[in-house]
Amino acid sequence: MEHSSSLPLSINSDLNVKQPCSDAALRDPGRNELVSRLSTSSRCRLLDSCETVPLNRGQVLYDRGTPLRYGYFIESGGCSVTTRAGDCLPVEIHTLGMKDFVGVPLVLGMHVSPHRCSVRLPGQALRIRSEQLISLIKRDVELEKLLLGYVQAILIHSSQLSACNSRHTLHQRLARWLLVASDRLGSREVPFTHSYIANALAVRRAGVTVALGYLAREGVIRCRRAGIVVADETKLKAMSCDCQGIILSAHNRSAAVPALRTAYS
């Protein structure tokens, strides 16, 4: 499709329509960290194929065994990726926020997901149709490099969680979870209930309540009705296992996207 302007395109989030990138849009890389890492040309090509959509609490972005119709770059709010073991309750494997992309299987050439991703905190995201994303990845080397780096970070994240959940104490795992969730959401406030955190850690709610009470008495966190605030990140890191550092380092390493020739036509 040919455009009337030679300028790269972007999305007007208020009107949800495409228009040429303004100078302000080119200076503002956007609220999703992955999108902001792209060069101006690659970012605008991506935005040309995206639309801004709301994320509503409880909304299922994709489900286990169903076709993946879209990919999402989260700009605000939070999502949870869960998996199941037989008839047991689902267990969270990732908390996603404004630093994340929803639709990892698409980057690997898969069109069906083995997991469920649902919205836990309302917000908004840039949404792109799966076939458009795959086409862009094939032609834009920089976007491909960025998303493959993100996939690698997610794989390291998942494998480290497996080791952490089998080897470390509840207090260590809780501290790790709070640090990683705070990082992914881009906020010291982690607005999740005790029940949600218990599900994420695959433990009883009572155990999480006791552990959070201890952290609150130590002045590391503040408990609110709507969630938890990390009050002393340094102390929380000292209480956590080394897994949080490994996980966050994996994501930070994927942040460096070198200047690449863009194979786009």
Side-chain angles (χ1 to χ4, degrees), residues 192-241:
F192 294 113
T193 64
H194 293 195
S195 295
Y196 178 90
I197 298 172
N199 175 63
L201 296 176
V203 298
R204 294 174 61 246
R205 181 186 183 281
V208 167
T209 299
V210 171
L212 286 172
Y214 170 76
L215 294 180
R217 289 192 298 274
E218 292 294 309
V220 179
I221 63 170
R222 293 194 300 273
C223 292
R224 297 177 177 175
R225 185 173 184 178
I228 298 156
V229 176
V230 177
D232 190 332
E233 184 175 324
T234 301
K235 198 169 182 179
L236 187 61
K237 286 181 179 178
M239 292 180 169
S240 173
C241 50

mmCIF file of all heavy atoms in Angstrom, residues 192-241:
data_model
loop_
_atom_site.group_PDB
_atom_site.id
_atom_site.type_symbol
_atom_site.label_atom_id
_atom_site.label_comp_id
_atom_site.label_asym_id
_atom_site.label_seq_id
_atom_site.Cartn_x
_atom_site.Cartn_y
_atom_site.Cartn_z
ATOM 1 N N PHE A 192 -1.176 -6.040 43.273
ATOM 2 C CA PHE A 192 -1.741 -7.384 43.200
ATOM 3 C C PHE A 192 -2.126 -7.857 44.598
ATOM 4 O O PHE A 192 -1.496 -7.492 45.587
ATOM 5 C CB PHE A 192 -0.739 -8.362 42.581
ATOM 6 C CG PHE A 192 -0.428 -8.093 41.136
ATOM 7 C CD1 PHE A 192 0.833 -7.667 40.754
ATOM 8 C CD2 PHE A 192 -1.389 -8.256 40.153
ATOM 9 C CE1 PHE A 192 1.135 -7.415 39.424
ATOM 10 C CE2 PHE A 192 -1.107 -8.007 38.823
ATOM 11 C CZ PHE A 192 0.149 -7.588 38.456
ATOM 12 N N THR A 193 -3.139 -8.702 44.667
ATOM 13 C CA THR A 193 -3.623 -9.220 45.940
ATOM 14 C C THR A 193 -2.730 -10.353 46.447
ATOM 15 O O THR A 193 -1.927 -10.915 45.701
ATOM 16 C CB THR A 193 -5.053 -9.758 45.792
ATOM 17 O OG1 THR A 193 -5.033 -10.882 44.889
ATOM 18 C CG2 THR A 193 -5.990 -8.688 45.235
ATOM 19 N N HIS A 194 -2.926 -10.698 47.723
ATOM 20 C CA HIS A 194 -2.191 -11.821 48.302
ATOM 21 C C HIS A 194 -2.504 -13.109 47.545
ATOM 22 O O HIS A 194 -1.618 -13.949 47.328
ATOM 23 C CB HIS A 194 -2.549 -11.983 49.780
ATOM 24 C CG HIS A 194 -2.081 -10.851 50.627
ATOM 25 N ND1 HIS A 194 -2.020 -10.927 52.010
ATOM 26 C CD2 HIS A 194 -1.633 -9.600 50.318
ATOM 27 C CE1 HIS A 194 -1.566 -9.778 52.492
ATOM 28 N NE2 HIS A 194 -1.337 -8.965 51.491
ATOM 29 N N SER A 195 -3.765 -13.277 47.162
ATOM 30 C CA SER A 195 -4.163 -14.486 46.441
ATOM 31 C C SER A 195 -3.454 -14.583 45.096
ATOM 32 O O SER A 195 -3.025 -15.668 44.674
ATOM 33 C CB SER A 195 -5.683 -14.508 46.239
ATOM 34 O OG SER A 195 -6.352 -14.605 47.470
ATOM 35 N N TYR A 196 -3.346 -13.453 44.414
ATOM 36 C CA TYR A 196 -2.670 -13.437 43.119
ATOM 37 C C TYR A 196 -1.203 -13.838 43.274
ATOM 38 O O TYR A 196 -0.677 -14.656 42.507
ATOM 39 C CB TYR A 196 -2.765 -12.048 42.489
ATOM 40 C CG TYR A 196 -2.043 -11.931 41.173
ATOM 41 C CD1 TYR A 196 -2.690 -12.208 39.982
ATOM 42 C CD2 TYR A 196 -0.692 -11.570 41.128
ATOM 43 C CE1 TYR A 196 -2.014 -12.121 38.764
ATOM 44 C CE2 TYR A 196 -0.015 -11.479 39.926
ATOM 45 C CZ TYR A 196 -0.683 -11.755 38.749
ATOM 46 O OH TYR A 196 -0.006 -11.684 37.566
ATOM 47 N N ILE A 197 -0.526 -13.257 44.270
ATOM 48 C CA ILE A 197 0.888 -13.554 44.480
ATOM 49 C C ILE A 197 1.070 -15.020 44.872
ATOM 50 O O ILE A 197 2.015 -15.683 44.422
ATOM 51 C CB ILE A 197 1.482 -12.617 45.550
ATOM 52 C CG1 ILE A 197 1.394 -11.163 45.073
ATOM 53 C CG2 ILE A 197 2.937 -12.983 45.845
ATOM 54 C CD1 ILE A 197 1.779 -10.148 46.130
ATOM 55 N N ALA A 198 0.162 -15.541 45.698
ATOM 56 C CA ALA A 198 0.227 -16.949 46.082
ATOM 57 C C ALA A 198 0.117 -17.851 44.860
ATOM 58 O O ALA A 198 0.838 -18.846 44.729
ATOM 59 C CB ALA A 198 -0.883 -17.272 47.082
ATOM 60 N N ASN A 199 -0.769 -17.483 43.937
ATOM 61 C CA ASN A 199 -0.914 -18.244 42.702
ATOM 62 C C ASN A 199 0.355 -18.159 41.853
ATOM 63 O O ASN A 199 0.800 -19.146 41.271
ATOM 64 C CB ASN A 199 -2.108 -17.721 41.907
ATOM 65 C CG ASN A 199 -2.245 -18.399 40.554
ATOM 66 O OD1 ASN A 199 -2.456 -19.595 40.473
ATOM 67 N ND2 ASN A 199 -2.100 -17.611 39.487
ATOM 68 N N ALA A 200 0.947 -16.962 41.810
ATOM 69 C CA ALA A 200 2.172 -16.777 41.025
ATOM 70 C C ALA A 200 3.320 -17.617 41.579
ATOM 71 O O ALA A 200 4.170 -18.099 40.822
ATOM 72 C CB ALA A 200 2.562 -15.311 41.003
ATOM 73 N N LEU A 201 3.355 -17.799 42.907
ATOM 74 C CA LEU A 201 4.437 -18.546 43.543
ATOM 75 C C LEU A 201 4.076 -20.007 43.782
ATOM 76 O O LEU A 201 4.903 -20.787 44.264
ATOM 77 C CB LEU A 201 4.809 -17.891 44.878
ATOM 78 C CG LEU A 201 5.376 -16.465 44.799
ATOM 79 C CD1 LEU A 201 5.600 -15.905 46.194
ATOM 80 C CD2 LEU A 201 6.669 -16.438 44.003
ATOM 81 N N ALA A 202 2.816 -20.368 43.460
ATOM 82 C CA ALA A 202 2.332 -21.737 43.644
ATOM 83 C C ALA A 202 2.438 -22.180 45.106
ATOM 84 O O ALA A 202 2.908 -23.280 45.411
ATOM 85 C CB ALA A 202 3.073 -22.704 42.734
ATOM 86 N N VAL A 203 2.004 -21.286 46.010
ATOM 87 C CA VAL A 203 1.996 -21.596 47.445
ATOM 88 C C VAL A 203 0.643 -21.191 48.034
ATOM 89 O O VAL A 203 -0.180 -20.565 47.362
ATOM 90 C CB VAL A 203 3.125 -20.854 48.191
ATOM 91 C CG1 VAL A 203 4.482 -21.287 47.676
ATOM 92 C CG2 VAL A 203 2.976 -19.342 48.053
ATOM 93 N N ARG A 204 0.420 -21.535 49.309
ATOM 94 C CA ARG A 204 -0.826 -21.185 49.974
ATOM 95 C C ARG A 204 -0.867 -19.688 50.272
ATOM 96 O O ARG A 204 0.154 -19.068 50.585
ATOM 97 C CB ARG A 204 -0.985 -21.969 51.270
ATOM 98 C CG ARG A 204 -1.151 -23.466 51.070
ATOM 99 C CD ARG A 204 -1.165 -24.235 52.381
ATOM 100 N NE ARG A 204 -2.290 -23.820 53.233
ATOM 101 C CZ ARG A 204 -2.147 -23.203 54.392
ATOM 102 N NH1 ARG A 204 -0.931 -22.892 54.840
ATOM 103 N NH2 ARG A 204 -3.200 -22.879 55.105
ATOM 104 N N ARG A 205 -2.078 -19.121 50.207
ATOM 105 C CA ARG A 205 -2.250 -17.690 50.466
ATOM 106 C C ARG A 205 -1.786 -17.321 51.867
ATOM 107 O O ARG A 205 -1.190 -16.264 52.086
ATOM 108 C CB ARG A 205 -3.724 -17.311 50.270
ATOM 109 C CG ARG A 205 -4.016 -15.826 50.490
ATOM 110 C CD ARG A 205 -5.512 -15.554 50.421
ATOM 111 N NE ARG A 205 -5.824 -14.150 50.556
ATOM 112 C CZ ARG A 205 -5.861 -13.503 51.708
ATOM 113 N NH1 ARG A 205 -5.579 -14.136 52.840
ATOM 114 N NH2 ARG A 205 -6.168 -12.220 51.743
ATOM 115 N N ALA A 206 -2.055 -18.198 52.841
ATOM 116 C CA ALA A 206 -1.685 -17.902 54.225
ATOM 117 C C ALA A 206 -0.182 -17.708 54.357
ATOM 118 O O ALA A 206 0.288 -16.825 55.104
ATOM 119 C CB ALA A 206 -2.155 -19.028 55.145
ATOM 120 N N GLY A 207 0.595 -18.509 53.632
ATOM 121 C CA GLY A 207 2.045 -18.376 53.686
ATOM 122 C C GLY A 207 2.515 -17.043 53.129
ATOM 123 O O GLY A 207 3.429 -16.409 53.679
ATOM 124 N N VAL A 208 1.895 -16.591 52.041
ATOM 125 C CA VAL A 208 2.247 -15.297 51.453
ATOM 126 C C VAL A 208 1.889 -14.159 52.402
ATOM 127 O O VAL A 208 2.660 -13.205 52.564
ATOM 128 C CB VAL A 208 1.524 -15.112 50.100
ATOM 129 C CG1 VAL A 208 1.619 -13.662 49.626
ATOM 130 C CG2 VAL A 208 2.133 -16.037 49.054
ATOM 131 N N THR A 209 0.734 -14.244 53.052
ATOM 132 C CA THR A 209 0.309 -13.206 53.994
ATOM 133 C C THR A 209 1.310 -13.077 55.142
ATOM 134 O O THR A 209 1.683 -11.962 55.541
ATOM 135 C CB THR A 209 -1.092 -13.517 54.541
ATOM 136 O OG1 THR A 209 -2.018 -13.538 53.456
ATOM 137 C CG2 THR A 209 -1.531 -12.462 55.549
ATOM 138 N N VAL A 210 1.752 -14.201 55.678
ATOM 139 C CA VAL A 210 2.733 -14.182 56.768
ATOM 140 C C VAL A 210 4.060 -13.575 56.290
ATOM 141 O O VAL A 210 4.659 -12.733 56.969
ATOM 142 C CB VAL A 210 2.964 -15.604 57.320
ATOM 143 C CG1 VAL A 210 4.153 -15.618 58.293
ATOM 144 C CG2 VAL A 210 1.706 -16.109 58.022
ATOM 145 N N ALA A 211 4.509 -13.980 55.108
ATOM 146 C CA ALA A 211 5.779 -13.486 54.578
ATOM 147 C C ALA A 211 5.710 -11.985 54.271
ATOM 148 O O ALA A 211 6.663 -11.245 54.547
ATOM 149 C CB ALA A 211 6.157 -14.263 53.316
ATOM 150 N N LEU A 212 4.598 -11.525 53.724
ATOM 151 C CA LEU A 212 4.437 -10.101 53.451
ATOM 152 C C LEU A 212 4.402 -9.303 54.745
ATOM 153 O O LEU A 212 4.926 -8.183 54.822
ATOM 154 C CB LEU A 212 3.151 -9.854 52.650
ATOM 155 C CG LEU A 212 3.185 -10.267 51.179
ATOM 156 C CD1 LEU A 212 1.794 -10.161 50.566
ATOM 157 C CD2 LEU A 212 4.175 -9.420 50.385
ATOM 158 N N GLY A 213 3.780 -9.877 55.777
ATOM 159 C CA GLY A 213 3.749 -9.209 57.077
ATOM 160 C C GLY A 213 5.147 -9.013 57.642
ATOM 161 O O GLY A 213 5.468 -7.957 58.199
ATOM 162 N N TYR A 214 5.989 -10.011 57.458
ATOM 163 C CA TYR A 214 7.378 -9.901 57.911
ATOM 164 C C TYR A 214 8.113 -8.797 57.150
ATOM 165 O O TYR A 214 8.817 -7.968 57.756
ATOM 166 C CB TYR A 214 8.088 -11.240 57.721
ATOM 167 C CG TYR A 214 9.582 -11.162 57.928
ATOM 168 C CD1 TYR A 214 10.127 -11.077 59.197
ATOM 169 C CD2 TYR A 214 10.449 -11.158 56.826
ATOM 170 C CE1 TYR A 214 11.504 -10.984 59.387
ATOM 171 C CE2 TYR A 214 11.815 -11.076 56.999
ATOM 172 C CZ TYR A 214 12.341 -10.986 58.285
ATOM 173 O OH TYR A 214 13.694 -10.889 58.457
ATOM 174 N N LEU A 215 7.955 -8.758 55.830
ATOM 175 C CA LEU A 215 8.617 -7.728 55.024
ATOM 176 C C LEU A 215 8.132 -6.333 55.407
ATOM 177 O O LEU A 215 8.916 -5.378 55.436
ATOM 178 C CB LEU A 215 8.370 -7.983 53.537
ATOM 179 C CG LEU A 215 8.990 -9.244 52.927
ATOM 180 C CD1 LEU A 215 8.647 -9.331 51.449
ATOM 181 C CD2 LEU A 215 10.499 -9.278 53.129
ATOM 182 N N ALA A 216 6.839 -6.225 55.723
ATOM 183 C CA ALA A 216 6.285 -4.931 56.121
ATOM 184 C C ALA A 216 6.863 -4.489 57.466
ATOM 185 O O ALA A 216 7.204 -3.304 57.658
ATOM 186 C CB ALA A 216 4.768 -5.014 56.193
ATOM 187 N N ARG A 217 6.990 -5.405 58.411
ATOM 188 C CA ARG A 217 7.556 -5.063 59.727
ATOM 189 C C ARG A 217 9.013 -4.640 59.612
ATOM 190 O O ARG A 217 9.500 -3.812 60.390
ATOM 191 C CB ARG A 217 7.423 -6.248 60.681
ATOM 192 C CG ARG A 217 5.996 -6.537 61.125
ATOM 193 C CD ARG A 217 5.955 -7.519 62.283
ATOM 194 N NE ARG A 217 6.517 -8.819 61.947
ATOM 195 C CZ ARG A 217 5.837 -9.801 61.369
ATOM 196 N NH1 ARG A 217 4.548 -9.629 61.066
ATOM 197 N NH2 ARG A 217 6.416 -10.961 61.104
ATOM 198 N N GLU A 218 9.715 -5.195 58.629
ATOM 199 C CA GLU A 218 11.112 -4.833 58.402
ATOM 200 C C GLU A 218 11.258 -3.521 57.638
ATOM 201 O O GLU A 218 12.382 -3.046 57.404
ATOM 202 C CB GLU A 218 11.823 -5.953 57.634
ATOM 203 C CG GLU A 218 12.003 -7.237 58.416
ATOM 204 C CD GLU A 218 12.942 -7.058 59.596
ATOM 205 O OE1 GLU A 218 14.050 -6.529 59.390
ATOM 206 O OE2 GLU A 218 12.554 -7.455 60.725
ATOM 207 N N GLY A 219 10.138 -2.938 57.229
ATOM 208 C CA GLY A 219 10.169 -1.673 56.503
ATOM 209 C C GLY A 219 10.558 -1.795 55.046
ATOM 210 O O GLY A 219 10.875 -0.795 54.385
ATOM 211 N N VAL A 220 10.535 -3.029 54.516
ATOM 212 C CA VAL A 220 10.945 -3.255 53.129
ATOM 213 C C VAL A 220 9.810 -2.931 52.162
ATOM 214 O O VAL A 220 10.041 -2.443 51.052
ATOM 215 C CB VAL A 220 11.401 -4.718 52.948
ATOM 216 C CG1 VAL A 220 11.818 -4.985 51.511
ATOM 217 C CG2 VAL A 220 12.537 -5.039 53.892
ATOM 218 N N ILE A 221 8.583 -3.221 52.572
ATOM 219 C CA ILE A 221 7.405 -2.940 51.754
ATOM 220 C C ILE A 221 6.345 -2.235 52.598
ATOM 221 O O ILE A 221 6.435 -2.226 53.842
ATOM 222 C CB ILE A 221 6.786 -4.232 51.161
ATOM 223 C CG1 ILE A 221 6.282 -5.137 52.290
ATOM 224 C CG2 ILE A 221 7.788 -4.953 50.270
ATOM 225 C CD1 ILE A 221 5.452 -6.313 51.816
ATOM 226 N N ARG A 222 5.371 -1.649 51.910
ATOM 227 C CA ARG A 222 4.176 -1.124 52.568
ATOM 228 C C ARG A 222 2.975 -1.819 51.950
ATOM 229 O O ARG A 222 2.840 -1.828 50.711
ATOM 230 C CB ARG A 222 4.062 0.393 52.405
ATOM 231 C CG ARG A 222 5.139 1.175 53.122
ATOM 232 C CD ARG A 222 4.785 2.658 53.201
ATOM 233 N NE ARG A 222 4.617 3.242 51.882
ATOM 234 C CZ ARG A 222 5.612 3.748 51.156
ATOM 235 N NH1 ARG A 222 6.856 3.723 51.632
ATOM 236 N NH2 ARG A 222 5.397 4.276 49.965
ATOM 237 N N CYS A 223 2.145 -2.404 52.770
ATOM 238 C CA CYS A 223 0.966 -3.101 52.271
ATOM 239 C C CYS A 223 -0.218 -2.143 52.242
ATOM 240 O O CYS A 223 -0.491 -1.438 53.221
ATOM 241 C CB CYS A 223 0.631 -4.301 53.160
ATOM 242 S SG CYS A 223 1.858 -5.626 53.074
ATOM 243 N N ARG A 224 -0.878 -2.104 51.106
ATOM 244 C CA ARG A 224 -2.090 -1.316 50.934
ATOM 245 C C ARG A 224 -3.220 -2.229 50.512
ATOM 246 O O ARG A 224 -2.990 -3.362 50.077
ATOM 247 C CB ARG A 224 -1.882 -0.226 49.872
ATOM 248 C CG ARG A 224 -0.831 0.806 50.233
ATOM 249 C CD ARG A 224 -0.645 1.799 49.097
ATOM 250 N NE ARG A 224 0.302 2.851 49.425
ATOM 251 C CZ ARG A 224 0.708 3.785 48.577
ATOM 252 N NH1 ARG A 224 0.243 3.772 47.329
ATOM 253 N NH2 ARG A 224 1.562 4.713 48.950
ATOM 254 N N ARG A 225 -4.418 -1.700 50.614
ATOM 255 C CA ARG A 225 -5.564 -2.510 50.217
ATOM 256 C C ARG A 225 -5.491 -2.870 48.737
ATOM 257 O O ARG A 225 -5.883 -3.963 48.324
ATOM 258 C CB ARG A 225 -6.860 -1.752 50.515
ATOM 259 C CG ARG A 225 -8.106 -2.568 50.251
ATOM 260 C CD ARG A 225 -9.334 -1.840 50.727
ATOM 261 N NE ARG A 225 -10.534 -2.660 50.554
ATOM 262 C CZ ARG A 225 -11.752 -2.270 50.925
ATOM 263 N NH1 ARG A 225 -11.915 -1.086 51.497
ATOM 264 N NH2 ARG A 225 -12.781 -3.061 50.733
ATOM 265 N N ALA A 226 -4.962 -1.938 47.938
ATOM 266 C CA ALA A 226 -4.910 -2.156 46.489
ATOM 267 C C ALA A 226 -3.645 -2.867 46.041
ATOM 268 O O ALA A 226 -3.479 -3.134 44.852
ATOM 269 C CB ALA A 226 -5.038 -0.820 45.760
ATOM 270 N N GLY A 227 -2.739 -3.172 46.986
ATOM 271 C CA GLY A 227 -1.518 -3.849 46.568
ATOM 272 C C GLY A 227 -0.362 -3.574 47.503
ATOM 273 O O GLY A 227 -0.548 -3.312 48.689
ATOM 274 N N ILE A 228 0.844 -3.594 46.953
ATOM 275 C CA ILE A 228 2.082 -3.501 47.737
ATOM 276 C C ILE A 228 2.987 -2.457 47.112
ATOM 277 O O ILE A 228 3.073 -2.348 45.888
ATOM 278 C CB ILE A 228 2.793 -4.873 47.763
ATOM 279 C CG1 ILE A 228 1.896 -5.901 48.449
ATOM 280 C CG2 ILE A 228 4.149 -4.796 48.447
ATOM 281 C CD1 ILE A 228 2.204 -7.314 48.040
ATOM 282 N N VAL A 229 3.671 -1.687 47.966
ATOM 283 C CA VAL A 229 4.645 -0.707 47.506
ATOM 284 C C VAL A 229 6.020 -1.126 48.001
ATOM 285 O O VAL A 229 6.201 -1.421 49.186
ATOM 286 C CB VAL A 229 4.317 0.707 48.017
ATOM 287 C CG1 VAL A 229 5.407 1.695 47.603
ATOM 288 C CG2 VAL A 229 2.962 1.163 47.501
ATOM 289 N N VAL A 230 6.988 -1.189 47.102
ATOM 290 C CA VAL A 230 8.366 -1.493 47.480
ATOM 291 C C VAL A 230 8.969 -0.234 48.087
ATOM 292 O O VAL A 230 9.196 0.760 47.396
ATOM 293 C CB VAL A 230 9.194 -1.953 46.263
ATOM 294 C CG1 VAL A 230 10.651 -2.182 46.670
ATOM 295 C CG2 VAL A 230 8.599 -3.222 45.665
ATOM 296 N N ALA A 231 9.210 -0.262 49.404
ATOM 297 C CA ALA A 231 9.698 0.916 50.114
ATOM 298 C C ALA A 231 11.219 0.981 50.161
ATOM 299 O O ALA A 231 11.802 2.065 50.159
ATOM 300 C CB ALA A 231 9.126 0.940 51.538
ATOM 301 N N ASP A 232 11.885 -0.174 50.239
ATOM 302 C CA ASP A 232 13.343 -0.210 50.328
ATOM 303 C C ASP A 232 13.855 -1.294 49.372
ATOM 304 O O ASP A 232 13.993 -2.459 49.735
ATOM 305 C CB ASP A 232 13.768 -0.520 51.768
ATOM 306 C CG ASP A 232 15.261 -0.327 52.007
ATOM 307 O OD1 ASP A 232 16.043 -0.473 51.038
ATOM 308 O OD2 ASP A 232 15.648 -0.046 53.149
ATOM 309 N N GLU A 233 14.135 -0.876 48.150
ATOM 310 C CA GLU A 233 14.543 -1.831 47.120
ATOM 311 C C GLU A 233 15.878 -2.484 47.452
ATOM 312 O O GLU A 233 16.068 -3.680 47.208
ATOM 313 C CB GLU A 233 14.625 -1.116 45.770
ATOM 314 C CG GLU A 233 14.942 -2.047 44.605
ATOM 315 C CD GLU A 233 14.903 -1.336 43.274
ATOM 316 O OE1 GLU A 233 14.051 -0.436 43.107
ATOM 317 O OE2 GLU A 233 15.726 -1.666 42.407
ATOM 318 N N THR A 234 16.809 -1.731 48.009
ATOM 319 C CA THR A 234 18.126 -2.276 48.354
ATOM 320 C C THR A 234 18.000 -3.397 49.373
ATOM 321 O O THR A 234 18.615 -4.467 49.238
ATOM 322 C CB THR A 234 19.040 -1.166 48.908
ATOM 323 O OG1 THR A 234 19.186 -0.145 47.921
ATOM 324 C CG2 THR A 234 20.409 -1.726 49.268
ATOM 325 N N LYS A 235 17.199 -3.173 50.389
ATOM 326 C CA LYS A 235 17.008 -4.191 51.422
ATOM 327 C C LYS A 235 16.257 -5.392 50.874
ATOM 328 O O LYS A 235 16.541 -6.535 51.235
ATOM 329 C CB LYS A 235 16.250 -3.582 52.609
ATOM 330 C CG LYS A 235 16.362 -4.389 53.892
ATOM 331 C CD LYS A 235 15.830 -3.598 55.070
ATOM 332 C CE LYS A 235 15.989 -4.393 56.358
ATOM 333 N NZ LYS A 235 15.500 -3.615 57.540
ATOM 334 N N LEU A 236 15.309 -5.129 49.987
ATOM 335 C CA LEU A 236 14.560 -6.233 49.387
ATOM 336 C C LEU A 236 15.486 -7.107 48.538
ATOM 337 O O LEU A 236 15.373 -8.335 48.543
ATOM 338 C CB LEU A 236 13.408 -5.682 48.540
ATOM 339 C CG LEU A 236 12.418 -6.711 47.982
ATOM 340 C CD1 LEU A 236 11.726 -7.464 49.113
ATOM 341 C CD2 LEU A 236 11.379 -6.019 47.088
ATOM 342 N N LYS A 237 16.415 -6.482 47.825
ATOM 343 C CA LYS A 237 17.384 -7.244 47.034
ATOM 344 C C LYS A 237 18.259 -8.110 47.931
ATOM 345 O O LYS A 237 18.605 -9.244 47.581
ATOM 346 C CB LYS A 237 18.261 -6.294 46.213
ATOM 347 C CG LYS A 237 17.566 -5.678 45.015
ATOM 348 C CD LYS A 237 18.503 -4.766 44.242
ATOM 349 C CE LYS A 237 17.807 -4.171 43.031
ATOM 350 N NZ LYS A 237 18.699 -3.240 42.282
ATOM 351 N N ALA A 238 18.617 -7.582 49.103
ATOM 352 C CA ALA A 238 19.442 -8.350 50.032
ATOM 353 C C ALA A 238 18.693 -9.561 50.567
ATOM 354 O O ALA A 238 19.303 -10.595 50.874
ATOM 355 C CB ALA A 238 19.890 -7.454 51.190
ATOM 356 N N MET A 239 17.362 -9.454 50.667
ATOM 357 C CA MET A 239 16.550 -10.559 51.164
ATOM 358 C C MET A 239 16.238 -11.576 50.070
ATOM 359 O O MET A 239 15.884 -12.711 50.356
ATOM 360 C CB MET A 239 15.235 -10.024 51.728
ATOM 361 C CG MET A 239 15.379 -9.218 52.990
ATOM 362 S SD MET A 239 13.758 -8.637 53.552
ATOM 363 C CE MET A 239 14.185 -8.036 55.197
ATOM 364 N N SER A 240 16.381 -11.172 48.817
ATOM 365 C CA SER A 240 16.071 -12.048 47.692
ATOM 366 C C SER A 240 17.236 -12.984 47.400
ATOM 367 O O SER A 240 18.360 -12.783 47.870
ATOM 368 C CB SER A 240 15.762 -11.208 46.449
ATOM 369 O OG SER A 240 15.605 -12.009 45.304
ATOM 370 N N CYS A 241 16.965 -14.023 46.626
ATOM 371 C CA CYS A 241 18.026 -14.887 46.122
ATOM 372 C C CYS A 241 18.683 -14.208 44.910
ATOM 373 O O CYS A 241 18.239 -13.149 44.454
ATOM 374 C CB CYS A 241 17.449 -16.240 45.719
ATOM 375 S SG CYS A 241 15.999 -16.112 44.646
#
